[in-house]
Amino acid sequence: MINLKGRDFLKLLDFTTEEIEYLINLAEELKEKKKKGIDHRICQGKNIALIFEKTSTRTRCSFEVAAHDLGMNATYLDPSGSQIGKKESIADTARVLSRMFDGIEYRGYGQEIVEELAKYATVPVWNGLTDEFHPTQILADFLTLKEKFGKLKGLNFVYMGDARFNMGNSLMVGCAKTGINFTACAPKKYFPDAKLVEECKRIAEKTGSEIRLETDVKKATYNADAIYTDIWVSMGEPPEVWEERINDLAPYQVNADVMKNAKSTAVFMHCLPSYHDLKTAIGKEIGERFNRTEMEVTDEVFESAQSVVFDEAENRMHTIKAVMAATL
C-alpha cells in the first residue's frame, strides 16, 4: 500500500518507481472522475499557498483548478505579493505559511529554495518548477505517454536541445525511474550534468532502461516512440544568449525529417510555451532578428497529428491534482 500523506514533492529522485506509478494511476482515476462529472472534493476545506517567483499559465491554472476540484481554496502569491527571500527569509516564510495553509507550492529559481522551504515547513511543499527540476511536468508527460501507448516501460524517448536544465534533468530521472529508454540529443556542451547522468544510469540498471547521450540526430531519433523538445532560451536568461543557442541548436530542431526517422507511431511532445511561429511577441522579435520563422520545432510538426502538446498541457492539472490529493 502506497502512502504519500505528508510527503513533499520536490524532485522525482526522492520517489520510488512504484510511488511514481501510483501518482500516474491516481491521476488517471481523478481525470476519469472529472470527465464523468463525479464529485471528488476529497480535500474539502483545506487551503494552499501558491508562491510564484516565475509566472506561468499552465502551472498556475493547473494548481488552482485542481485545488478547486478537490474542494480547496488557493491563495496566489506573485513576485510582488510575497516577501520570500527579500524582507523575510525562506525559513521564516515556510513557518508562517505552515500556520495558515495545508500545503505550499513554489515555482521559481534554485532548487535549494524549494528544498529549504520544505525543510522548515510543517506541511507538504510541492515544486512547481525550479532551475534544476520540474517534476509535475514529467508526471503529465508520462500520463500522456501511457494514454497513447498503454505503457511506459520499454518506450524509446528522445529529448532534443538544451538538456542541462530542469526539463532535460527531470525527464532523464523520470525515464530512469520508470524503465523508459532515454536519449539526450544535443551538442556535448548541452548534455546533462555528468553526476546526474551516472546516478540515472545506476537507477536505469535496476529498471531495465538505458540512458544515452548522443550528438547525432539520426542515430538518436531512429526508432523513437517520443520526441521531446523545449524552448532554447529559458525564462530569466538574458536575450544575448539567443544567438549562441540558435547557432548551436538549430541542427537539433524537431522537423518533419526528424519525425520520419522515428517510428510511424511516434509522438511529438513539448512542455510549452513554444516558438513554432511568429505569433508571440518574443517569437516575432527573435524571428525577425535572426531571420527565422520557427525555433525549436517547426509549425508543421507542432500542428501535426503526431503532436500531443495540448494533451500534456491538460494533464498538468490531473497529475498536479494527484500529487496534492496523495500528499494531503
Side-chain angles (χ1 to χ4, degrees), residues 62-74:
S62 295
F63 269 100
E64 289 190 345
V65 174
H68 180 269
D69 286 353
L70 290 170
M72 297 192 288
N73 299 308

Side-chain angles (χ1 to χ4, degrees), residues 16-34:
T16 66
T17 299
E18 293 73 24
E19 288 168 341
I20 293 168
E21 289 171 348
Y22 168 79
L23 287 169
I24 294 169
N25 292 338
L26 179 58
E28 277 186 305
E29 291 174 28
L30 293 172
K31 181 174 182 177
E32 186 178 6
K33 285 182 178 179
K34 185 173 176 71

Side-chain angles (χ1 to χ4, degrees), residues 42-308:
I42 54 178
C43 298
Q44 187 84 39
K46 291 187 182 293
N47 297 283
I48 62 168
L50 308 177
I51 303 172
F52 277 69
E53 291 196 297
K54 283 185 179 179
T55 56
S56 166
T57 301
R58 277 154 302 283
T59 304
R60 178 180 178 180
C61 293
S62 295
F63 269 100
E64 289 190 345
V65 174
H68 180 269
D69 286 353
L70 290 170
M72 297 192 288
N73 299 308
T75 298
Y76 176 74
L77 300 169
D78 67 14
S80 65
S82 164
Q83 300 298 341
I84 184 169
K86 296 187 282 285
K87 291 183 180 178
E88 189 160 38
S89 71
I90 295 163
D92 289 358
T93 300
R95 289 178 287 192
V96 167
L97 294 182
S98 293
R99 298 294 184 100
M100 302 178 185
F101 295 94
D102 300 287
I104 302 166
E105 178 271 353
Y106 172 82
R107 178 184 173 93
Y109 297 95
Q111 180 73 14
E112 70 278 2
I113 299 173
V114 76
E115 298 276 355
E116 189 173 357
L117 268 174
K119 178 181 176 181
Y120 289 97
T122 55
V123 297
V125 173
W126 309 299
N127 180 359
L129 172 141
T130 63
D131 294 341
E132 292 85 0
F133 294 107
H134 196 1
T136 59
Q137 177 67 51
I138 277 56
L139 290 184
D141 297 334
F142 286 5
L143 174 58
T144 307
L145 286 174
K146 191 178 178 191
E147 289 172 340
K148 297 300 174 184
F149 296 103
K151 65 171 187 175
L152 294 178
K153 191 173 177 63
L155 293 178
N156 297 321
F157 188 101
V158 180
Y159 180 82
M160 295 183 65
D162 192 342
R164 298 171 298 174
F165 301 118
N166 47 34
M167 285 310 303
N169 290 343
S170 296
L171 285 165
M172 180 170 63
V173 171
C175 286
K177 289 275 187 177
T178 55
I180 299 173
N181 299 313
F182 175 85
T183 301
C185 180
K188 282 186 179 176
K189 71 178 185 178
Y190 292 93
F191 282 169
D193 176 72
K195 285 184 180 177
L196 185 61
V197 171
E198 288 308 308
E199 186 171 3
C200 287
K201 283 183 176 180
R202 286 194 294 272
I203 296 167
E205 283 177 11
K206 296 175 185 174
T207 60
S209 62
E210 185 181 3
I211 305 296
R212 296 169 55 215
L213 305 179
E214 181 59 70
T215 58
D216 186 291
V217 173
K218 283 207 164 181
K219 282 184 187 174
T221 58
Y222 177 71
N223 215 30
D225 292 295
I227 307 285
Y228 201 116
T229 193
D230 191 8
I231 54 176
W232 289 338
V233 175
S234 298
M235 196 185 316
E237 290 190 275
E240 52 266 26
V241 303
W242 268 108
E243 186 170 5
E244 179 188 12
R245 298 286 170 81
I246 288 171
N247 288 337
D248 291 343
L249 297 175
Y252 297 87
Q253 180 192 65
V254 181
N255 52 39
D257 288 339
V258 166
M259 296 306 295
K260 281 174 190 168
N261 195 48
K263 289 181 183 176
S264 60
T265 54
V267 295
F268 167 71
M269 307 183 80
H270 196 303
C271 54
L272 301 181
S274 169
Y275 299 133
H276 59 97
D277 55 27
L278 302 179
K279 294 177 182 176
T280 63
I282 295 175
K284 187 171 186 292
E285 177 192 339
I286 299 299
E288 288 174 352
R289 185 173 153 199
F290 295 102
N291 196 28
R292 295 182 66 91
T293 55
E294 304 151 319
M295 294 292 171
E296 74 281 359
V297 58
T298 62
D299 195 56
E300 178 185 10
V301 169
F302 187 91
E303 298 291 355
S304 72
Q306 289 176 287
S307 176
V308 294

